[in-house]
């Protein structure tokens, strides 16, 4: 990606927006955490013309719309412009989007683009909006990309760390503590699961009260584990008896990957990526190898893995 330069009357700002793991087992649409990598880079520069122009999309985004009104980054940046206009006339924006992660991967690809577009636009305009407002703008980008304005990807992508979405309307975000020693593994097999298809599996479903109670217990225990730093309890709490049983058949070798060892393992977002929680860097490295081996041996799928601590920073400016 090019460095800072002058174009259309303004210097480019470059923002990295991270991939995310949403749901974390029992927290469907209400929990998400930020990864250090992969992620997207969005550049923004002020222009004399009105609105948002998407100048270029590179990297993994070959099939994404080039129309800023239909692209997650462009829509999010446009919402920043709209909100900033309340304080007076604002210039237009030109964006460059570099996709650094696969599409339909369960890693919050559209959420990273939306978060990057919102934060880059805000930086170019002199930071007129605060963090929660930027999450709301990124949600508008998610709506354009996925059809629903959920925040479980964009909130951690903007804010970093682990975020609980108590409510989307009105927006009410709770930043949860990240225990020391927590490492996360994400393995992406070389196949795709669309968010729309994964959500369609849930439409019209009824769930047993016993499964709802089990998920409520896991969600409560998960939050308690984050506050207490009890990693063993955290690992026991990522089980999901509502959404994952319906989505697991869409992911080849999901059961074998889940058994590959770690404190706890589950589906990242809609899948097909899967995550594992670990209590050390060495344990995370071993889990990553075992998960990749399970995809290879049980489904003949290549994969890539990312291992590291939770990203506490979220979207941020690059040099």
């Amino acid at each position: 990606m090019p460095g800072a330069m002058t174009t259309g009357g303004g210097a480019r700002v470059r923002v990295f927006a991270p991939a995310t793991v949403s749901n974390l087992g029992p927290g469907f649409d209400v929990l998400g955490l930020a990864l250090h990598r992969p992620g997207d880079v969005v550049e923004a520069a002020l222009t004399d013309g009105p609105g948002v122009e998407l100048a270029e999309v590179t990297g993994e985004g070959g099939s994404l719309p080039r129309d800023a009104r239909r692209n997650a980054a462009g829509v999010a940046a446009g919402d920043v412009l709209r909100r900033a206009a309340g304080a007076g006339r604002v210039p237009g924006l030109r964006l460059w989007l570099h996709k650094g992660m696969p599409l339909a991967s369960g890693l919050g690809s559209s959420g990273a683009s939306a978060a990057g577009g919102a934060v880059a636009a805000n930086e170019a305009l002199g930071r007129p909006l605060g963090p929660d407002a930027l999450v709301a703008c990124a949600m508008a980008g998610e709506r354009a990309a996925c059809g629903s304005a959920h925040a479980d990807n964009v909130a951690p992508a903007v804010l970093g760390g682990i975020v609980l979405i108590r409510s989307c309307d009105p927006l009410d975000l709770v930043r949860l503590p990240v225990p020391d020693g927590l490492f996360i593994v994400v393995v992406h097999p070389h196949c795709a699961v669309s968010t729309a298809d994964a959500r369609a599996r849930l439409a019209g479903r009824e769930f047993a009260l016993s499964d709802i109670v089990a998920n409520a217990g896991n969600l409560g225990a998960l939050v308690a584990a984050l506050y207490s730093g009890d990693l063993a309890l955290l690992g026991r709490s990522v089980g999901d008896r509502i959404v994952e049983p319906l989505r697991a058949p869409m992911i080849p070798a999901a059961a074998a990957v889940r058994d590959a060892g770690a404190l706890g393992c589950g589906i990242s977002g809609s899948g097909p990526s899967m995550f594992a929680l670990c209590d050390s860097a060495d344990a995370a490295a071993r889990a990553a190898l075992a998960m990749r081996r399970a995809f290879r041996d049980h489904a003949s799928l290549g994969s890539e893995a990312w291992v590291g601590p939770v990203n506490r920073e979220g979207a941020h400016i690059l040099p």
Side-chain angles (χ1 to χ4, degrees):
M1 296 292 292
M5 62 181 290
T6 300
T7 178
R12 288 196 198 184
V13 296
R14 303 175 68 233
V15 167
F16 174 82
T20 50
V21 173
S22 62
N23 302 343
L24 296 177
F28 177 69
D29 274 6
V30 301
L31 278 179
L33 65 75
L35 302 172
H36 280 282
R37 59 189 182 94
D40 291 349
V41 174
V42 180
E43 298 186 54
L46 302 181
T47 64
D48 295 330
V52 178
E53 170 198 352
L54 185 56
E56 186 178 49
V57 179
T58 58
E60 301 270 358
S63 62
L64 294 178
R66 266 51 175 181
D67 182 347
R69 296 167 298 181
R70 298 189 299 116
N71 183 283
V75 171
D79 207 45
V80 172
L81 273 183
R82 180 184 64 81
R83 291 169 184 257
R89 181 183 178 276
V90 294
L93 287 167
R94 182 174 292 119
L95 301 182
W96 294 258
L97 169 62
H98 179 74
K99 290 297 298 179
M101 70 178 78
L103 307 182
S105 60
L107 297 174
S109 177
S110 60
S113 295
V119 173
N122 196 52
E123 288 291 327
L125 293 167
R127 301 185 185 179
L129 304 184
D132 281 12
L134 290 178
V135 172
C137 293
M139 289 171 64
E142 275 280 55
R143 182 188 295 111
C146 303
S148 63
H150 51 281
D152 51 339
N153 292 115
V154 297
V158 171
L159 302 174
I162 304 174
V163 182
L164 170 71
I165 296 87
R166 194 203 66 80
S167 168
C168 283
D169 187 17
L171 188 61
D172 190 356
L173 306 174
V174 182
R175 303 185 71 172
L176 299 173
V178 179
D180 293 336
L182 175 63
F183 285 79
I184 184 163
V185 178
V186 178
V187 176
H188 170 61
H190 294 163
C191 60
V193 172
S194 78
T195 300
D197 290 345
R199 284 184 173 269
R201 293 208 164 205
L202 309 180
R205 295 279 185 167
E206 295 183 354
F207 300 97
L209 182 60
S210 59
D211 292 334
I212 295 171
V213 170
N215 264 38
N218 277 335
L219 182 56
L222 189 153
V223 172
L226 293 176
Y227 274 98
S228 66
D230 187 338
L231 296 185
L233 176 60
L234 181 64
R236 297 199 304 273
S237 302
V238 297
D240 172 31
R241 285 170 51 175
I242 294 178
V243 175
E244 287 199 3
L246 298 174
R247 289 180 168 177
M250 303 176 74
I251 303 171
V257 173
R258 193 187 302 276
D259 292 338
L263 294 173
C265 183
I267 298 172
S268 177
S270 301
S273 295
M274 296 188 69
F275 74 92
L277 303 180
C278 301
D279 57 7
S280 71
D282 287 344
R286 290 193 299 270
L289 287 174
M291 293 167 74
R292 295 188 70 191
R293 187 180 302 117
F295 275 124
R296 183 193 66 204
D297 293 348
H298 293 271
S300 299
L301 284 174
S303 62
E304 51 201 328
W306 296 274
V307 179
V310 175
N311 176 354
R312 299 170 189 253
E313 185 178 15
H316 60 274
I317 306 300
L318 295 174

